[in-house]
Amino acid sequence: MPSDTTPAGTPRDEPAAQALSPALPPERTSSPGPGPAPEAGSTPGSGGYRAVFAVREFRAVFAAHLLSLLGVVVSELALTVLVYDLTGSPLLSALTFALGFLPYVIGGTLLAGVADRYPARRTLVTCDLICAGCVAVMVLPGTPVGALLALRCAVAAVAPVFTGTRTAALTDILGEGDLYVLGRSLLRLVSQGAMLIGFGAGGLLLTVLSPRGAITVTVVTFLCSAALLRLGTLDRPARAGEAGGALLRESLAGARAVLGDRRILGLLLLFWVPAFFVVAPEALAAPYADAIGAGPAAVGLLMCAMAVGHIGAELYVGTALSPRARSRITLPVAALGLLPLVLFAFRPGTALAVAALVLAGAGAAYVIGLDQWFVDVVPEHLRGRAMTLLTAGLMTFQGIGMALAGLAAEFVPVHRVVAYSGVIGTVCTLLLILEVRRTRVRYRSARRC
């Protein structure tokens, strides 16, 4: 399924974190929570990423995630080329990418109840099979362009259900403590790596295969993912039971319950809002490279810089910092994360622009702590719907952010659009941090009562 996508910020050392949030004690970060105990050698809260890989079920989930991600990235590239070959329209070719974002809000809102209503393994396998079927129809030579775009929408609508179900299932597989946080981190790292590798692999495949031939690879990866999940994970009961009212009503009721909780809403917005602003330089990489007189190679560097920073920072934070330290840096890193984009006000050359984007990407560090806070505060019976809504909102905010950045660049120089994104995004994030701090105090007081 499509990747878990994360917003970005900028990591800082622990003393700086203490200075910015001295009165902010961490939330629960080490309790193993419900679910089966990890296998031998994987003590919760210790062992880092190796302890996560020691859990057999997680290895199956990880492998399935890697396979389907690589397939999706390759198919996105191949489908874009195919639509352009069939129509000669740059607009329709670009729309193919946009349709990967827009249906998330529909699937994440109207279908979110699936994540809690049905057993996780059945839901995950079914989603993979539905996506495999949609992609298989794309491969047929007679499939018209309109049908290709509709099938693209169908795959994107299923994606948040899959991702939310899988994220909630991780708490059953890894518990609710540090292993869960590191497991989520590993899936994000794979997502970023798959983007870098997948686009390169897709380009190579298109030199030896037709676009439809390259898309066929995705059918295989979805089927392999379904097999891994079916054979490699346990069949657990549904969180909320399969009986009940209409799915749509249940999904909307779950969304109201999640969004109606001020604490949960604040944390959701802290995931979403930085992501809305941080996508501006990626959306405008090509016009920015043109504006500074750089070549096509610069576009590639600008596009992958944030992913490189993200991977490096998350690996460091996941391996070098304790759960308590990760919790303490969450808000300071979120507060500082978009500031590197302000450097674009000076219209930097390729080297300095890439360095700024690496710093911005490194801010993925704050999401590790935020993951723990979120799973701590969401009730278990709403967890699947909350995770689905989280994914849907994240992708939707990113898609809207890209579109608005492009629209702004029609009237304002590209470098200023990126710089304004950094300034406005930082102000919005600081306001959210104040809200998160306020609701944290109330949440802790309510728990004591």
Side-chain angles (χ1 to χ4, degrees), residues 7 25 33 41 67 95 114 156 193 196 198 215 230 261 266 294 299 323 331 351 401 411 432:
L67 276 173
L95 185 61
V114 171
L196 296 176
I215 293 172
R230 175 63 180 80
D261 185 299
V299 178
L331 295 185
F411 307 97
L432 273 176

Side-chain angles (χ1 to χ4, degrees), residues 323-378:
R324 181 179 177 82
R326 292 197 295 266
S327 183
R328 293 175 70 178
I329 69 170
T330 298
L331 295 185
V333 171
L336 298 170
L338 294 168
L339 286 180
L341 301 186
V342 179
L343 290 174
F344 280 81
F346 304 101
R347 206 166 176 262
T350 301
L352 186 55
V354 167
L357 294 180
V358 168
L359 284 175
Y366 91 89
V367 183
I368 300 185
L370 198 59
D371 274 336
Q372 184 65 67
W373 296 358
F374 191 68
V375 77
D376 282 348
V377 76
V378 174

